[in-house]
Each structure stands twice: as C-alpha cells, then as structure tokens.
C-alpha cells in the first residue's frame, strides 16, 4: 500500500474509458470522490458503478456529462433527479447476485474506491459499515484506492481488507455521514403495532429502511429472544438490541450474532458496532441467499412498497417509469421468509402516499416494475388492518386488499375491480 498525500493525487491515476466502483451507504468515500472530480477535466467516458451513496453526488451533474456515466445498482435520493436512462442509468438486479456480476467480469472493474477503518497490528483494515457488494468489488478491481479514517467503525465479519490488497491510500479524519432519525407518524405507529401482532417471540427479523420499518421495531420491545439476519439495519434496530428483545439466541445461522450486509445509522450505531464481536457484516450473496435465510426460525421479512395492485403485485422501485430506488434485497428475503419454518413475508405500507395518492391500486401505473410477484405475497399491512393473501384467489385477494385500503378509496377500487376483471 502506498500512502498518497491527497485525494486529487491519488485519483490522478484514473484514465478515460475506465470502470470505477464506489463504496456506498455510510461508507461513501467523499474525499476520494472529490479527488476524482478534481481530475475530471482530464477524463472522458468513465463509468461509475455503485449502490446508493451519501452526500452530494456532484458527478451526476450535467457539467460532468462528458466525463462520467453512472450505473446505479440502487438509486439513492442524491441521484434520483438525474436519472435519464442514458448517462445516469439503473441496473435491476437482486442484491444477492451483484457480487457475482463483479467476480464473473460481467461488470468489469478497473478501480475500486473504498472507505476503511485503520489497520490493526496485523495490517487488517475493515470495510466498516458496508460489506455488501464492496468486498467482491475489491477482489475484482485491478486497482484499489482507499481512504483510511479513524472514525470508520472496525466491524467483524467478511469486511477485512489487508493493507497489501490496497494499492493506494489517503489518510483522513472526517465524521461519517450517517442516517438521521426518522419521524414516525400516527399511521406509521399503527402499522407498527399491527405488524407486531404477527411477529412471535423467537422470530428472526429482516427489515428495510424508513419510517414504517422503524415503527415496527418500536412495537417489538416487549418481545423475547428475537434475532436479526437482514440485508441492513439502522437506528431502530439498535434500540431493539439495547432493550434486550434481540439476543439472537434462537437463530440456527450465526447464533448470538446480529447479521447484516450493511448498516446505515447515526453515531450511536457506529459506536455500537465498532469492534463489537456480537455484530458481523457478511457479503450480500450470502446474507441475502434464500437458502441461508430459510434456515433461521420464523423469519419475518418486513418491507415496504410504492404501490400494490389488487392481485398482489408489488412495485417497490419506481413511480411509473421513474426509478426511485431499486430491487435490492426485497425478493431475496420475501422468498427466504416464505421458506422458513413459521416465516412471514410482510409488506407494510401507508394506505396513501404523502401527497394523498392511493397505494393500493386497481392496476400498477404504466411503467411500474414488479419487484415482488403476486405469487410470492403473504401479508400486506396498512394502518387499516392486515390482509392475508396467501392461498387466496385473485378475487379473494382483491377483497382482502380493499378492506385495508383508505376508506375513501374502497368504493372506486370495488368498481374498478369489477370493470376490469368481471366482464362477460
């Protein structure tokens, strides 16, 4: 490993027409990204590939249209407005399959820009808050460039990177940009309370990010012997761990350990996971593998959606044609939970969006993608109740979903169902 004095110098080795992986989430290497931008005037047609990143994604601005192309494996809020499916594009893929895209060379990587904790006495850094697909990127890239930061937590698991596997590095001392606390509405809290009635003591939890998953976790503090095996976790899960409700004592896979592929959280979360042997981060192709997920007992997969149609099709990555997030790990865990003994795949949504649009709809809007198919659906929960779709026909599903839709939407949903499905 060669230590470079500043980011611009470290990134001066990047060349035109190359492919770069950028570490994501709380591990977004802001200093290296800034160094890349300083060298942008010398670069043409460089492809940047990443999951959601934090901070300003200036490289997506129009001023860099000749310099950078962006392939989003999951679309974060910082690039959402730039999506044009030409220069700023989206690659739909299960999170569990992304590491193989790197290792197989289907997505070739010339450089990997990563954010790591300082090396220990044996020379091992860690990938900190995000192992997910980053470990595969590091092992696949021709050149690895790291920013080493004492504020990056040292996290146990698959994320160890020896300094001999890092080609160039800069040393920084900067605060990690993490997830802020989310506001929980009365509707969110009601959904959380309803969801908690489905989750038994001894269950293994997977949860997404956002207000509703956090509201579910808030409602579980009186539960016992819960476990966590999840794509990611955040502030809400930390509260549940500290309350004693989560002890991972009944899991069959990594008993006693809180398992994830990445973590998005505030300073309290970062402090908790630092050198904590009860918390491990593993690669996404393992964590999100349904054959691994199903081995744990009573897996409850708790995920959200943009909209659900009356047959149970779930759109979770777009508003019509406009991609706003990604496939991620929803299907990995929905399937894994359904195969787990006593498992429950659960979609949690508000009955209406923040702008007042129905989220239970007669048909998905034009261009919307199906992330979770109707055949994979079990439970849907809104603030108005729980719909159990498993083993139900299409007409039975429609009636179940109409019951939990917003009261002002139910009459129209009934009408549209009969108009579109019941004609002779």
């Amino acid at each position: 490993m060669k230590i470079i004095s500043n980011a611009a110098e470290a990134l001066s080795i990047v060349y035109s027409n190359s492919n770069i992986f950028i570490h994501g989430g709380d591990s977004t290497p802001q200093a290296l990204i800034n160094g890349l931008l300083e060298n942008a005037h010398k670069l043409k047609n460089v492809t940047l590939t990443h999951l959601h990143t934090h901070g300003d994604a200036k490289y997506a601005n129009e001023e860099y249209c000749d310099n950078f192309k962006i392939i989003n494996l999951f679309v974060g809020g910082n690039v959402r407005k730039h999506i044009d499916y030409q220069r700023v594009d989206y690659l739909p893929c299960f999170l569990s399959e992304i590491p193989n895209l790197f290792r197989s060379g289907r997505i070739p990587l010339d450089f990997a820009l990563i954010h790591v904790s300082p090396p220990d006495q044996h020379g091992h850094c860690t990938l900190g808050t995000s192992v997910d697909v980053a470990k595969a990127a590091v092992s696949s890239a021709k050149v690895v460039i790291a920013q080493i930061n004492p504020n990056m937590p040292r996290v146990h698991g698959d994320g160890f990177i020896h300094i001999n596997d890092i080609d160039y590095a800069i040393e920084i001392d900067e605060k990690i940009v993490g997830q802020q606390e989310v506001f929980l509405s009365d509707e969110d809290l009601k959904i959380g309370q309803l969801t908690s009635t489905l989750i038994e003591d001894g269950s293994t939890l997977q949860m997404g990010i956002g207000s509703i998953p956090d509201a579910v976790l808030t409602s579980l503090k009186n539960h016992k012997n819960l476990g966590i095996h999840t794509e990611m976790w955040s502030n809400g899960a930390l509260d549940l761990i500290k309350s004693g409700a989560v002890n991972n004592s009944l899991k069959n896979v990594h008993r006693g350990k809180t398992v994830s592929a990445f973590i998005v959280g505030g300073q309290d979360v970062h402090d908790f996971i630092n050198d904590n042997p009860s918390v491990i981060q593993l690669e996404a192709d393992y964590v999100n593998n349904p054959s691994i997920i199903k081995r744990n007992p009573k897996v409850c997969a708790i995920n959200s959606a943009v909209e659900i149609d009356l047959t149970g099709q779930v759109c979770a990555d777009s508003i019509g044609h406009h991609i706003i997030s990604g496939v991620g790990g929803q299907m990995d865990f929905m399937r894994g939970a359904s195969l787990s003994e006593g498992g429950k795949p659960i979609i949690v949504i508000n009955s209406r969006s923040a702008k007042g649009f129905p989220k239970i709809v007669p048909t998905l809007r034009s261009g919307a993608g199906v992330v979770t198919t109707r055949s994979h659906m079990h439970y849907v929960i809104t603030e108005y109740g729980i719909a159990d779709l498993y083993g139900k026909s299409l007409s039975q599903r429609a009636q179940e979903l109409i019951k939990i839709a917003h009261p002002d939407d139910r009459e129209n949903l009934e009408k549209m169902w009969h108009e579109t499905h019941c004609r002779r």
Side-chain angles (χ1 to χ4, degrees), residues 31 36 98 144 161 212 241 259 290 319 332 370 397:
L36 182 64
I98 294 173
V144 177
I161 304 293
I212 300 180
I241 294 168
V259 176
I319 299 175
D332 295 326
V370 176
R397 286 164 173 247

Side-chain angles (χ1 to χ4, degrees), residues 2-3 5 49 51-52 98 118 142 148 187 193 217 228 251 283 292 301 335 339 348 373-374 389:
K2 182 177 180 181
I3 300 293
S5 60
T49 300
L51 292 168
H52 64 288
I98 294 173
K142 296 174 184 176
I148 301 173
E187 290 81 8
Q193 189 277 324
L217 296 173
I228 291 179
K251 289 168 56 181
E283 292 194 71
I292 300 297
R335 187 58 179 156
L339 296 173
V348 289
T373 73
R374 57 171 70 105
L389 307 186

Side-chain angles (χ1 to χ4, degrees), residues 98-371:
I98 294 173
N100 187 56
L101 292 179
F102 296 150
R103 290 195 169 105
S104 68
R106 185 170 288 271
I107 297 180
L109 297 176
D110 298 300
F111 300 92
L113 309 186
I114 59 174
H115 192 170
V116 301
S117 61
D120 62 15
Q121 61 181 330
H122 306 292
H124 291 97
C125 304
T126 80
L127 289 166
T129 59
S130 295
V131 172
D132 44 60
V133 304
K135 184 64 179 289
V138 168
S139 64
S140 303
K142 296 174 184 176
V143 178
V144 177
I145 306 174
Q147 61 178 55
I148 301 173
N149 187 354
N151 297 297
M152 178 59 70
R154 175 180 174 80
V155 184
H156 294 233
D158 287 343
F160 288 102
I161 304 293
H162 197 272
I163 56 174
N164 291 341
D165 296 320
I166 297 172
D167 297 288
Y168 303 95
I170 63 169
E171 295 177 323
I172 65 170
D173 187 347
E174 295 179 0
K175 184 177 180 180
I176 304 297
V177 178
Q179 176 71 19
Q180 302 302 312
E181 295 292 334
V182 296
F183 170 75
L184 303 182
S185 68
D186 290 341
E187 290 81 8
D188 295 336
L189 293 170
K190 178 62 176 175
I191 294 169
Q193 189 277 324
L194 286 169
T195 307
S196 71
T197 66
L198 289 181
I199 299 173
E200 304 172 63
D201 289 343
S203 295
T204 302
L205 305 178
Q206 176 264 330
M207 70 296 292
I209 192 170
S211 60
I212 300 180
D214 273 5
V216 174
L217 296 173
T218 298
S219 301
L220 296 176
K221 290 183 179 178
N222 292 323
H223 280 57
K224 296 180 175 62
N225 300 321
L226 297 174
I228 291 179
H229 180 110
T230 181
E231 168 186 324
M232 62 79 58
W233 59 271
S234 188
N235 303 315
L238 177 60
D239 293 339
L240 202 59
I241 294 168
K242 288 185 173 180
S243 75
V246 169
N247 59 23
N248 297 296
S249 63
L250 299 182
K251 289 168 56 181
N252 295 323
V253 181
H254 302 291
R255 183 167 295 178
K257 308 288 186 182
T258 294
V259 176
S260 64
F262 67 97
I263 294 170
V264 177
Q267 189 61 50
D268 287 350
V269 172
H270 296 162
D271 291 341
F272 181 80
I273 65 177
N274 184 51
D275 206 20
N276 186 341
S278 73
V279 176
I280 57 174
Q281 299 255 69
L282 306 175
E283 292 194 71
D285 53 356
Y286 174 86
V287 172
N288 284 44
N289 186 332
S291 68
I292 300 297
I293 296 166
K294 72 176 185 178
R295 290 168 55 192
N296 279 316
K298 303 176 185 176
V299 174
C300 292
I302 305 161
N303 291 280
S304 58
V306 174
E307 58 182 6
I308 301 174
D309 75 12
L310 289 177
T311 71
Q313 295 187 114
V314 174
C315 174
D317 64 352
S318 71
I319 299 175
H321 293 275
H322 184 60
I323 299 293
I324 62 169
S325 55
V327 172
Q330 181 173 120
M331 264 301 304
D332 295 326
F333 276 93
M334 292 292 281
R335 187 58 179 156
S338 69
L339 296 173
S340 165
E341 185 175 354
K344 296 184 177 79
I346 303 168
I347 294 291
V348 289
I349 56 169
N350 296 111
S351 62
R352 285 183 168 180
S353 71
K355 294 183 178 180
F357 295 110
K359 301 191 78 169
I360 295 178
V361 294
T363 58
L364 300 180
R365 70 185 73 190
S366 176
V370 176
V371 170

